[in-house]
Amino acid sequence: MDSIVVAVDIGSTKVTAIAAEPTERGAVRIKGTAVMPTNGSRRGVIVDAEDASRAVYQALHSLQQHLGQEVDQVVLTVSGAHVEGSNGRGLKPIVPRSRQITYQDVLEVVNHSRSVAVAPDREQFQAIPREFRIDGQKDIKQPIGLNGAKLEVLTYLVSGNTVALQSVEKAVTMAGKRVEQMLLRSLCSGIAVLSQSEIEHGAAVVDVGAAMTEVAVFVNGSIAFSATLPVGSGHITSDISKLLKTTLEEADRLKLESGCAYAANVSPNDTVNVTQVDQSVARPMQRKMLAEIIESRTREIAKLVASALESSGHSSVLPGGVVLTGGGSLLPEIDRVFDENLKHLKIRLGKPTVSTKAYDPGFAAAIGAARFAIQCYDEIQPASGPKDWKDRVRSLFSVLRS
């Protein structure tokens, strides 16, 4: 099963597993998908190891049955407020001067960029080279084989709380599988829905999940910023439940079947049938009232995203604008709300597309993780190979060449 990559995305309401393989032309082909409900994770942190592990096992078991093959290892997305990104810099003199730069040189300069102090309760799980420099010359993507006296690198470093990382890894190992690599979830969502041009010239991806919204900014061919916002589409469901006095199940049905994020476009004559907790029979209510509840929370999310983009320092250099994805992006008119709150940026909805087939936005992170594992083949590692996921370093540059 060497050619097949399996990606697992543990969300707050479901576990998504994707099996993919490379094509002869270097693209990606989806071989199978599986989704299982879970309550074992909250905002990227495992709160019920048994439930999360059971959902992972069931998703992978379903995938294995479809494939007719055993899955031994997976790439795993990581998210949550405990995840932080920062920029590191590395420097290495080339001795003797002006000789050709080798893989070992690149490995050493990247590792030098990773040697930043982190709190005792945290550890790095991903390092992504953004730009190499040789003797001061900037914007070099692939330095191996070039000549120079000084090699520098700018790296995007991602770290997480050690206990949280161990817990999410345990959810996979309890299911009998091994984690090949942990990947920043918002990075994966961006790889899935952004075009090559958007990644190269500048764009942001906003993944609206159930319990949180994740933001990643891409400039100059790599990720430059990421943030996790503690509000998602599940909060919209909760608002509907509280204000219309319904169960969460009924609120979710109303959101999915009759929801709209922009109340001005809903006729005051439209009605929806609502079953309240103290009633056995549904009664009609104005659909506009439902839309106003949804819009209020959606605007909060949009404002938080606008603030995150402003803090990134890149909001003025994003010609690709903002691409919305994730399950929450399926809300009708959500792009209209974002457009009003991020007026200087163009907004579009993004579905992951593989071999001309478009998938549900909820699959974006898992598909992006599989694509990263397959297409980021310029892995920088010692000749003996990495010991585990902590040692792996891959750039996005090979994705852009695919």
Side-chain angles (χ1 to χ4, degrees), residues 102-116:
T102 66
Y103 268 103
Q104 187 62 30
D105 294 323
V106 172
L107 175 67
E108 289 178 10
V109 76
V110 170
N111 282 340
H112 183 247
S113 75
R114 301 178 77 173
S115 59
V116 295

Side-chain angles (χ1 to χ4, degrees), residues 103-227:
Y103 268 103
Q104 187 62 30
D105 294 323
V106 172
L107 175 67
E108 289 178 10
V109 76
V110 170
N111 282 340
H112 183 247
S113 75
R114 301 178 77 173
S115 59
V116 295
V118 294
D121 62 344
R122 300 185 63 79
E123 62 181 304
Q124 292 178 16
F125 65 88
Q126 200 170 10
I128 308 158
R130 292 181 54 194
E131 174 195 354
F132 291 96
R133 298 178 182 180
I134 299 176
D135 298 339
Q137 182 180 345
K138 300 180 179 180
D139 297 328
I140 296 172
K141 304 302 185 185
Q142 179 53 276
I144 296 170
L146 301 179
N147 295 79
K150 183 175 70 173
L151 176 64
E152 298 174 87
V153 67
L154 175 64
T155 309
Y156 193 71
L157 306 173
V158 191
S159 66
N161 176 271
T162 301
V163 173
L165 294 177
Q166 290 173 342
S167 296
V168 74
E169 183 177 21
K170 186 177 179 181
V172 174
T173 57
M174 285 176 64
K177 311 303 176 184
R178 183 173 68 87
V179 174
E180 179 190 11
Q181 188 171 14
M182 291 189 181
L183 304 172
L184 176 64
R185 189 177 187 278
S186 57
L187 164 75
C188 298
S189 297
I191 292 171
V193 302
L194 297 179
S195 67
Q196 292 185 11
S197 176
E198 287 168 337
I199 292 176
E200 288 177 327
H201 297 114
V205 62
V206 175
D207 189 318
V208 185
M212 57 191 177
T213 297
E214 294 166 282
V215 181
V217 174
F218 295 77
V219 294
N220 196 30
S222 190
I223 186 169
F225 172 85
S226 60

Side-chain angles (χ1 to χ4, degrees), residues 229-283:
L229 310 176
V231 187
S233 62
H235 293 80
I236 297 174
T237 302
S238 180
D239 291 345
I240 296 170
S241 173
K242 291 175 182 177
L243 294 172
L244 297 187
K245 297 180 173 58
T246 71
T247 63
L248 286 172
E249 292 75 17
E250 174 71 352
D252 201 47
R253 182 192 70 80
L254 289 168
K255 180 182 73 174
L256 296 175
E257 295 180 3
S258 304
C260 178
Y262 198 71
N265 285 356
V266 177
S267 169
N269 298 321
D270 289 351
T271 60
V272 291
N273 291 321
V274 179
T275 302
Q276 297 179 300
V277 291
D278 58 348
Q279 301 291 326
S280 58
V281 179
R283 68 187 186 92

Side-chain angles (χ1 to χ4, degrees), residues 341-354:
N341 285 274
L342 290 85
K343 294 182 179 180
H344 65 295
L345 294 170
K346 64 180 181 181
I347 310 293
R348 75 169 177 88
L349 302 178
K351 291 184 177 181
T353 301
V354 183

Side-chain angles (χ1 to χ4, degrees), residues 36-50:
M36 291 294 165
T38 183
N39 292 310
S41 176
R42 286 288 181 274
R43 295 180 182 174
V45 176
I46 301 298
V47 294
D48 186 334
E50 288 189 7

